Amino acid sequence: MLNATAMSSIFVLDQDQALDFYVGTLGLEVNTDQDLGFMRWLTVNVPGDPGRAILLEKPGPPSMDEATAERVRELLTKGAAGGWLGFNTDDAYRTYEELKAKGVEFTDEPTEQPYGIDFGLRDPFGNAIRIRQLPK
């Protein structure tokens, strides 16, 4: 049966801006950046974990028609497209401060939860991101 998550996808409005945010701000690394002609296949991953890539996908062909893509873009900018990512960190408070210094806008500050410490932010397009520190 299944043994790993290899690829996930979130919608972004501008792949260059997404690359700047996910690589330049969050510190992920480029996995694949290839022009397929009909679309740009742009994936990133946590450094050292290329087996779990995130596709930064622009709404549109080939997966949807233009009318659907426009609706998805509208929902995305409202933070209602349903896309979200979760990352782990060894130190939630330090990560929060580093991202704050880079100008990231947060949805909430680090908070102790039964499952660890976590905080939330949104990417430039409205996708929710949770970062957590697991309990020791």
Side-chain angles (χ1 to χ4, degrees), residues 20 23 26-27 29 32-33 38 49 55-57 59 61-63 84 91 95 103 126-127 131-132:
D20 182 56
V23 175
L26 294 186
E29 61 187 18
T32 305
D33 188 353
F38 57 90
D49 193 10
L55 174 63
L56 304 175
E57 183 178 6
S63 64
W84 73 277
D91 187 333
T95 301
N127 293 302
I131 298 178
R132 70 178 179 171

Side-chain angles (χ1 to χ4, degrees), residues 1 5 37 54-55 76 85 105:
M1 289 299 293
T5 300
I54 303 163
L55 174 63
L76 179 60
L85 297 169
E105 294 185 34

Side-chain angles (χ1 to χ4, degrees), residues 52-68:
R52 295 182 187 178
I54 303 163
L55 174 63
L56 304 175
E57 183 178 6
K58 283 182 68 174
S63 64
M64 63 187 71
D65 61 50
E66 185 52 39
T68 302

Side-chain angles (χ1 to χ4, degrees), residues 16-136:
D16 290 326
Q17 185 181 7
L19 195 60
D20 182 56
F21 179 77
Y22 283 96
V23 175
T25 302
L26 294 186
L28 303 184
E29 61 187 18
V30 175
N31 184 300
T32 305
D33 188 353
Q34 186 171 5
D35 182 354
L36 301 177
F38 57 90
M39 72 176 287
R40 179 181 179 188
W41 187 262
L42 177 60
T43 64
V44 294
N45 58 264
V46 170
D49 193 10
R52 295 182 187 178
I54 303 163
L55 174 63
L56 304 175
E57 183 178 6
K58 283 182 68 174
S63 64
M64 63 187 71
D65 61 50
E66 185 52 39
T68 302
E70 181 56 36
R71 183 72 176 132
V72 170
R73 287 190 289 271
E74 179 184 327
L75 290 170
L76 179 60
T77 59
K78 293 178 180 181
W84 73 277
L85 297 169
F87 297 102
N88 288 346
T89 183
D90 292 329
D91 187 333
Y93 294 106
R94 186 186 75 220
T95 301
Y96 174 84
E97 291 300 328
E98 289 174 1
L99 294 175
K100 186 175 181 180
K102 292 181 178 184
V104 171
E105 294 185 34
F106 298 93
T107 55
D108 54 20
E109 297 180 354
T111 305
E112 299 210 15
Q113 305 286 356
Y115 52 82
I117 302 166
D118 85 338
F119 61 92
L121 59 125
R122 292 205 186 278
D123 74 6
F125 315 101
N127 293 302
I129 297 173
R130 300 298 302 178
I131 298 178
R132 70 178 179 171
Q133 175 186 333
L134 297 172
K136 300 210 185 272

